[in-house]
Amino acid sequence: MQRRHRTLPELKAHESAQTISFTDHALACKLTAMGVLPGATIEMIRKAPFGDAFYVKVDGVRLALRTDEAKQILLTV
Amino acid sequence: MSNDAQQLRPLKVGLIGNPNSGKSTVFNQLTGLRQKTGNFPGVTVEIKVGSFTLPKGQKVSLIDFPGAYSLYPTSSDEKVLAEVLSNPGDANFPDMLVYIADVTNLEKHLLLFSQILDLQIPAILVLNMMDVAAEEGIRVQTQTLAAKLGVAVVAVSGRTGENIAQLKAQMEQLAGTTPLATKPFYTLTENECSVAEAVKMNFGTENGYRALLIAHHKDWLPFLSVPERAMLTTIQDTKQFQSLRAQVEETMTRFDRFVPIVKSAVQQPSAFPLTFTDRLDGVLTHRFFGPLIFFGIMALVFMCIFYGYEITGGWVEGAMGWLIEQAEALTTPLNMAWLTDFITKGILEGLKGVLVFIPQIALLSLLIALLEESGYLTRVVFMFDRMMQRFGMNGRSIVALIGGGACAVPAIKGTRTITNWKERIITIMVTPFISCSARIPVYMVLIPIALPNAGWWIWAQVFGGMYVLGVVVALLSGWVLKKILRSTEQSFLTLHMPVYRVPHWKNVWLTVVDKVKSFVSGVWKPIIIITSVLWLLSSFGPGDIASKARASAEEEIALGHVPDSLRGDLEASYKLEYSWAGKIGKFIEPAIRPLGYDWKIGIGILSSFLAREVFNSTMYIIYSLESVGKIEEGAAGDQKPFERYSSLKDRMLNDTFRDTHQKIYTPATGLSLLVFYALAMQCMSTLVVVKQETGKWRWAIIQFVFMGAIAYLFAWLTFLAVNAF
Ligand SMILES: Nc1nc2c(ncn2[C@@H]2O[C@H](COP(=O)(O)OP(=O)(O)OP(=O)(O)O)[C@@H](O)[C@H]2O)c(=O)[nH]1
């Protein structure tokens, strides 16, 4: 069966995708308040030096996310 | 309200906006130096209140709320705003709100604004960063925005001060009017409506959206009683209200409504070009270079503080010397020796303890403000978050730990940037383990005593080892505290990293002034009290200790062991021995004997509470070297730091226990004492600041006991290990 979505940590550096939804309500609350809405384009910039965090760009806004948080973001394939 | 009454009662204006919208900058523009910092009642969240006067004379008291993205908070900082705005009875409930939005990113900055519109509090929308907008070619039709949102809109630049006067005029105009009942920006869904109606009926809330907020936040709003909470739970259950889901839906609906409005009023150049910030981040957050550059910067900060201490410490020393002379000259004619003594050795000594920290606090807060203002600190959080998480802390804690290498006092004040309560408490608790500059003189005395036959090369290694010990114990304690402390607050990283900006001098300057002011005002009272108590303990004792000391000195001189010229030093030594401090030293001797210490070290530890370096001057007095000590201690800048205190070292190395006649200062005792000084909480200024920052003495006491226990344990193990070896 073909997968219909992937999560943020699967993106390679400088790869972009559209957000579909968030699997955690509390995080969804925080992200939507910061303007990361379903349908936004999200670009992976780089991983943190010691791992476990990601530097991403959403509509020109720069964000840092933990891996746990990034896994809750579903993206288009 | 009559005109007079208006003049008397200041207009309460709340300043709100998203983080990094430039809120503090606008606050500084409006109020300048007329601001003060305090805490919101009950929470450790900082509140800044400033005052200014509107053109026609109305006084304004401006409350700077912590930056927030929404009225659905995810940190204790953000909660403050939701708490105050959902309770019109709150002491900080504003008459009017001034909302700061970053015009270069307006689409993301209006969520909270649309929420306060629905609370029907009079508000002004301030579009900030107009100077940047002009540079980037962003054009804004403020009238279009004003018309579509139904509020006054002012475009300003917090940096240049452009249109700040117009903002004041607008506030004046709005203050005179009563808000019109407008159509809500967000229409509640059927389900939300029924919940809000039920809340309105039971709580007498008039505004529908406020009623909804109370329902959403029923679990933590502090003004709700237990039965009220239960009732709200029943309401939610019967209406099958799913709070989190409703919050997300509401947020998305709001965005759907205001994004088109922003698009119609703001013309933005289409693409997001690769900017200066992106290129800089390519290096500053790079896998290898990022951490390397960070440690480079921190090494620089550390060196600035370290040399700053050497230089400014000399100034303070000089100034205090002069003050002491003046005080002596003034009080000696009164013929009350105790008064002279109290002023010079009690009060002024305590004052010195406060003064030496001021240059350090100013310098460290200056450097940190520069890093913060430029936007660099958020990158540090991003880079080190993972590492510090393991030890119960947060990426920002690393700044505190490194600052602690200079002085824990400003470092602990800097932890306000950590928003998670538990991570902040842990950071505050472990920062004093890092060896600060006040421990250096003590290490300089004790290392050669512990290892008298080793060369300076070994001494230097042991010296470095003391820093490693501090870091290791700090991280381990963090790990332990992480397991012990409970926190319901979910910890997020999700962090917005702003574009890099050249720091604004006014913000930096006001931060430094604010930090110094709040330190001094919080700390001087307890310090004077503790200093006076310590003075009393070491100046008085059972009976007439002065004449007893004189007699003992006389006896010893008569025996011919000591030349008459040292009579003063000998008397001072006996006086300290016979004082309450000496009694306490002897009383606690059994407790510290397992570590290899005698009662004299007990007195030293007791007096170190003033500041650790006082250990040295106390030892000089006890070993009848008061006058020598003044010379040796004053010889700062000596080429051979480990040999600065040579006569004290010789005297201490020859000392024996009175009962067993064994040498006190074996390598085991020396190393154990070093470990004790590295790990024990012996600094009253730090304790006072911990109280100030956490709002409770409880944490200061826990820290004192916790660090003391660890220090005792490690010192004891060191003593046993070295003896067995
Ligand atoms: N160019 C320009 N920079 C500004 C302006 N207003 C603020 N800044 C800068 O934007 C950055 C953030 O400003 P702050 O005032 O600290 O923002 P804040 O909203 O208080 O941020 P938090 O303290 O995180 O809530 C700082 O570097 C300011 O110097 C402005 O009008 N123009």
Side-chain angles (χ1 to χ4, degrees):
Chain A
M1 200 182 86
Q2 211 192 339
R3 287 179 65 204
R4 272 190 262 141
H5 58 74
R6 52 190 167 162
T7 62
L8 181 57
E10 294 170 53
L11 288 190
K12 291 195 221 26
H14 300 293
E15 199 182 345
S16 303
Q18 250 84 45
T19 53
I20 302 172
S21 62
F22 313 103
T23 50
D24 176 75
H25 276 311
L27 184 75
C29 205
K30 174 122 189 160
L31 284 174
T32 50
M34 292 172 87
V36 183
L37 303 171
T41 306
I42 187 161
E43 184 192 351
M44 171 65 71
I45 305 292
R46 66 181 64 87
K47 245 183 123 130
F50 302 100
D52 202 48
F54 297 99
Y55 183 145
V56 299
K57 238 171 141 177
V58 187
D59 301 340
V61 175
R62 297 167 187 83
L63 293 178
L65 295 166
R66 282 188 192 142
T67 307
D68 291 348
E69 295 160 0
K71 278 193 196 139
Q72 314 285 341
I73 304 179
L74 302 185
L75 305 174
T76 52
V77 180
Chain B
M1 208 191 303
S2 83
N3 226 22
D4 284 353
Q6 256 183 21
Q7 310 260 313
L8 286 176
R9 185 183 162 283
L11 188 69
K12 244 187 287 172
V13 179
L15 191 67
I16 66 177
N18 292 8
N20 294 304
S21 54
K23 212 164 46 61
S24 320
T25 312
V26 173
F27 181 83
N28 289 340
Q29 283 288 359
L30 285 169
T31 64
L33 272 171
R34 291 172 308 266
Q35 46 175 278
K36 61 175 199 285
T37 311
N39 282 334
F40 276 101
V43 283
T44 56
V45 173
E46 190 168 316
I47 178 178
K48 271 207 296 199
V49 180
S51 59
F52 60 94
T53 314
L54 292 178
K56 287 191 193 130
Q58 167 72 55
K59 284 216 165 44
V60 175
S61 139
L62 187 68
I63 307 167
D64 187 14
F65 284 96
Y69 291 102
S70 136
L71 289 179
Y72 301 119
T74 47
S75 73
S76 51
D77 246 16
E78 285 188 312
K79 275 184 180 170
V80 169
L81 184 65
E83 180 190 331
V84 171
L85 293 188
S86 51
N87 179 16
D90 193 285
N92 286 309
F93 191 85
D95 302 320
M96 181 196 297
L97 286 169
V98 171
Y99 187 91
I100 312 294
D102 176 357
V103 73
T104 63
N105 219 329
L106 200 55
E107 273 179 29
K108 310 268 182 230
H109 275 255
L110 286 185
L111 174 66
L112 179 60
F113 183 71
S114 80
Q115 292 173 325
I116 62 158
L117 278 184
D118 289 346
L119 290 175
Q120 290 177 314
I121 302 169
I124 299 173
L125 175 59
V126 176
L127 305 178
N128 188 29
M129 314 241 187
M130 286 308 285
D131 57 326
V132 187
E135 236 168 71
E136 292 183 359
I138 299 170
R139 287 215 308 279
V140 196
Q141 271 90 45
T142 44
Q143 294 92 332
T144 314
L145 266 184
K148 292 201 172 165
L149 294 171
V151 290
V153 178
V154 189
V156 308
S157 162
R159 188 163 278 230
T160 62
E162 174 194 338
N163 271 353
I164 294 291
Q166 201 191 327
L167 171 58
K168 288 189 185 173
Q170 198 57 254
M171 289 164 77
E172 190 151 66
Q173 204 174 334
L174 192 62
T177 59
T178 38
L180 308 166
T182 46
K183 212 169 129 284
F185 189 87
Y186 167 74
T187 322
L188 305 193
T189 64
E190 227 168 274
N191 183 243
E192 285 169 333
C193 233
S194 65
V195 171
E197 284 307 321
V199 176
K200 274 175 157 180
M201 276 206 322
N202 288 296
F203 287 80
T205 315
E206 278 176 19
N207 179 287
Y209 189 55
R210 182 168 293 126
L212 183 67
L213 283 183
I214 293 176
H216 274 305
H217 301 325
K218 66 174 174 63
D219 289 329
W220 60 267
L221 280 176
F223 57 84
L224 294 176
S225 64
V226 176
E228 283 175 334
R229 255 182 252 281
M231 184 201 297
L232 286 164
T233 309
T234 319
I235 294 177
Q236 287 203 1
D237 289 349
T238 50
K239 312 276 181 198
Q240 295 183 338
F241 178 65
Q242 286 182 298
S243 176
L244 274 179
R245 173 169 301 210
Q247 290 175 21
V248 177
E249 300 278 321
E250 179 198 320
T251 302
M252 294 194 333
T253 312
R254 286 180 185 275
F255 268 98
D256 285 345
R257 268 213 67 190
F258 64 69
V259 168
I261 298 180
V262 173
K263 286 219 159 82
S264 72
V266 181
Q267 276 84 54
Q268 199 129 22
S270 55
F272 301 108
L274 204 60
T275 59
F276 172 69
T277 296
D278 293 310
R279 268 173 273 143
L280 199 55
D281 267 341
V283 182
L284 292 183
T285 63
H286 185 274
R287 199 157 257 233
F288 303 113
F289 299 127
L292 217 63
I293 293 172
F294 171 74
F295 284 115
I297 293 178
M298 284 299 125
L300 270 177
V301 168
F302 183 78
M303 263 154 54
C304 279
I305 305 275
F306 188 84
Y307 287 110
Y309 176 71
E310 292 274 298
I311 298 167
T312 56
W315 296 346
V316 172
E317 203 77 40
M320 292 311 297
W322 180 84
L323 259 183
I324 288 173
E325 266 175 38
Q326 299 306 306
E328 272 172 355
L330 271 175
T331 52
T332 312
L334 299 176
N335 245 340
M336 286 189 280
W338 68 269
L339 184 68
T340 313
D341 206 54
F342 175 63
I343 290 177
T344 55
K345 298 217 178 95
I347 299 288
L348 290 180
E349 204 59 47
L351 186 66
K352 187 164 103 188
V354 178
L355 280 182
V356 289
F357 289 118
I358 289 177
Q360 308 231 61
I361 290 170
L363 201 58
L364 189 62
S365 40
L366 171 79
L367 296 171
I368 288 182
L370 289 176
L371 295 178
E372 172 100 59
E373 272 275 308
S374 65
Y376 180 66
L377 275 193
T378 54
R379 273 73 180 182
V380 174
V381 178
F382 161 67
M383 286 193 288
F384 292 97
D385 181 69
R386 159 66 179 251
M387 203 168 108
M388 300 310 282
Q389 282 283 302
R390 295 213 173 127
F391 302 110
M393 290 175 266
N394 162 307
R396 285 179 190 258
S397 313
I398 204 164
V399 180
L401 293 186
I402 288 178
C407 176
V409 169
I412 286 172
K413 298 210 80 109
T415 58
R416 292 221 166 153
T417 51
I418 301 169
T419 49
N420 180 284
W421 172 84
K422 176 174 163 182
E423 292 167 349
R424 181 160 174 236
I425 286 284
I426 294 182
T427 309
I428 291 176
M429 298 309 267
V430 307
T431 295
F433 278 125
I434 308 292
S435 283
C436 62
S437 35
R439 284 165 169 109
I440 295 172
V442 182
Y443 292 163
M444 295 289 180
V445 170
L446 290 179
I447 291 175
I449 287 175
L451 305 165
N453 301 320
W456 67 268
W457 173 235
I458 304 279
W459 292 341
Q461 303 229 327
V462 175
F463 185 73
M466 302 316 293
Y467 284 86
V468 175
L469 177 70
V471 172
V472 169
V473 174
L475 292 180
L476 284 180
S477 318
W479 184 80
V480 171
L481 286 171
K482 176 182 159 188
K483 306 267 166 201
I484 297 173
L485 288 178
R486 290 266 152 264
S487 164
T488 48
E489 202 179 346
Q490 198 172 350
S491 162
F492 286 106
L493 175 59
T494 313
L495 175 76
H496 172 223
M497 293 187 283
V499 293
Y500 286 111
R501 288 205 171 85
V502 178
H504 188 33
W505 65 267
K506 195 165 178 179
N507 287 351
V508 173
W509 162 243
L510 287 172
T511 306
V512 172
V513 172
D514 178 56
K515 288 269 153 36
V516 171
K517 266 200 328 207
S518 69
F519 167 69
V520 173
S521 66
V523 112
W524 71 270
K525 256 190 252 164
I527 288 201
I528 293 291
I529 292 172
I530 297 173
T531 314
S532 310
V533 170
L534 281 177
W535 176 83
L536 284 173
L537 288 179
S538 56
S539 311
F540 294 95
D544 182 3
I545 62 169
S547 39
K548 263 202 281 180
R550 208 172 303 129
S552 301
E554 190 67 46
E555 215 170 286
E556 205 165 327
I557 290 168
L559 284 175
H561 295 322
V562 188
D564 194 52
S565 56
L566 292 181
R567 180 186 295 268
D569 286 347
L570 203 56
E571 266 181 36
S573 166
Y574 275 113
K575 195 173 159 209
L576 189 54
E577 180 178 346
Y578 298 146
S579 70
W580 292 116
K583 293 268 177 260
I584 295 176
K586 284 183 183 158
F587 178 73
I588 63 173
E589 195 183 65
I592 54 178
R593 194 65 181 265
L595 311 182
Y597 311 161
D598 74 334
W599 60 272
K600 303 194 204 69
I601 299 180
I603 301 181
I605 290 173
L606 190 70
S607 63
S608 291
F609 201 57
L610 207 56
R612 289 182 178 87
E613 68 265 25
V614 173
F615 175 79
N616 288 6
S617 45
T618 308
M619 286 296 128
Y620 273 109
I621 296 177
I622 292 189
Y623 285 101
S624 313
L625 291 167
E626 194 179 13
S627 47
V628 181
K630 283 199 177 129
I631 301 163
E632 288 187 347
E633 283 197 285
D638 195 312
Q639 290 305 300
K640 304 188 196 86
F642 285 110
E643 283 155 34
R644 197 183 290 167
Y645 310 95
S646 53
S647 26
L648 180 62
K649 177 184 142 194
D650 295 342
R651 199 66 68 91
M652 285 169 80
L653 277 174
N654 285 323
D655 197 13
T656 55
F657 283 108
R658 284 198 181 159
D659 44 4
T660 60
H661 300 288
Q662 278 171 339
K663 281 228 178 342
I664 298 175
Y665 292 95
T666 61
T669 309
L671 290 173
S672 147
L673 193 54
L674 273 171
V675 168
F676 188 84
Y677 265 84
L679 303 180
M681 167 37 78
Q682 298 174 289
C683 175
M684 61 176 171
S685 307
T686 303
L687 287 178
V688 172
V689 166
V690 168
K691 188 262 160 181
Q692 219 182 354
E693 289 299 301
T694 58
K696 293 193 189 76
W697 276 111
R698 190 176 68 189
W699 287 109
I701 293 167
I702 291 176
Q703 181 171 52
F704 180 73
V705 173
F706 170 71
M707 289 182 68
I710 288 182
Y712 190 91
L713 180 72
F714 276 63
W716 183 59
L717 291 177
T718 308
F719 185 73
L720 290 186
V722 178
N723 269 343
F725 178 59

